[in-house]
Amino acid sequence: MRAVETSFVGGPLDGETLPVLVGATGRPPKVYEVPVPADDGEDDGALSAVHVYHLEAAGHTRRLRLPKGWRYVHDPEGVPSRAYRRRLRTGGTSQAGGTSEAGGTVSGNGTNPGNRTDPGNGNGNGNGAGSGGRDRAPE
């Protein structure tokens, strides 16, 4: 795969330039997450923080306004992906069964309407569209 040197602005990686893997279109991922391991002596894979960076164009061409390059900007209020939220440790406990940052309850039992095992209409997307699952969000 191809990697592009991408600069980071703000946060702990301010001023750093790191190689980031790009997709088939040559564009880096929209969100870059930097996990920080917990320093509590345990080797359980827990994280003390996850820094979230969002992609933005570093510059544009004059006429067509095409992006000249990419950079990641630190988002202090950014919410990490689900995989990192499960391992994130706040105050010494894991959030896997507690409350989320928005104040709601995090449930791991699959009771949301978009669950693939939802017997609602047979296609699993929970909206009754009957599209065969094509409009399902990627996981």
Side-chain angles (χ1 to χ4, degrees):
M1 294 193 79
R2 187 173 153 235
V4 173
E5 293 289 325
T6 308
S7 62
F8 288 80
V9 178
L13 295 178
D14 190 22
E16 297 287 331
T17 302
L18 300 174
V20 177
L21 293 176
V22 295
T25 61
R27 182 175 177 162
K30 292 180 182 178
V31 177
Y32 192 85
E33 297 171 332
V34 180
V36 178
D39 266 349
D40 56 0
E42 297 178 18
D43 191 25
D44 58 354
L47 303 173
S48 63
V50 177
H51 299 287
V52 179
Y53 289 85
H54 290 284
L55 185 69
E56 71 176 30
H60 298 295
T61 60
R62 271 188 110 112
R63 184 171 288 194
L64 297 177
R65 304 288 295 166
L66 298 173
K68 278 187 170 180
W70 301 102
R71 69 179 181 179
Y72 282 104
V73 178
H74 185 253
D75 184 9
E77 285 86 33
V79 178
S81 66
R82 185 179 305 153
Y84 286 125
R85 279 192 308 239
R86 289 182 183 149
R87 295 173 40 201
L88 191 61
R89 184 172 289 174
T90 56
T93 61
S94 176
Q95 286 185 335
T99 58
S100 67
E101 295 85 11
T105 302
V106 177
S107 66
N109 60 2
T111 58
N112 63 342
N115 192 3
R116 291 182 184 199
T117 60
D118 183 22
N121 59 1
N123 67 0
N125 62 6
N127 63 4
S131 63
R134 285 177 282 153
D135 56 349
R136 221 181 280 148
E139 294 183 35

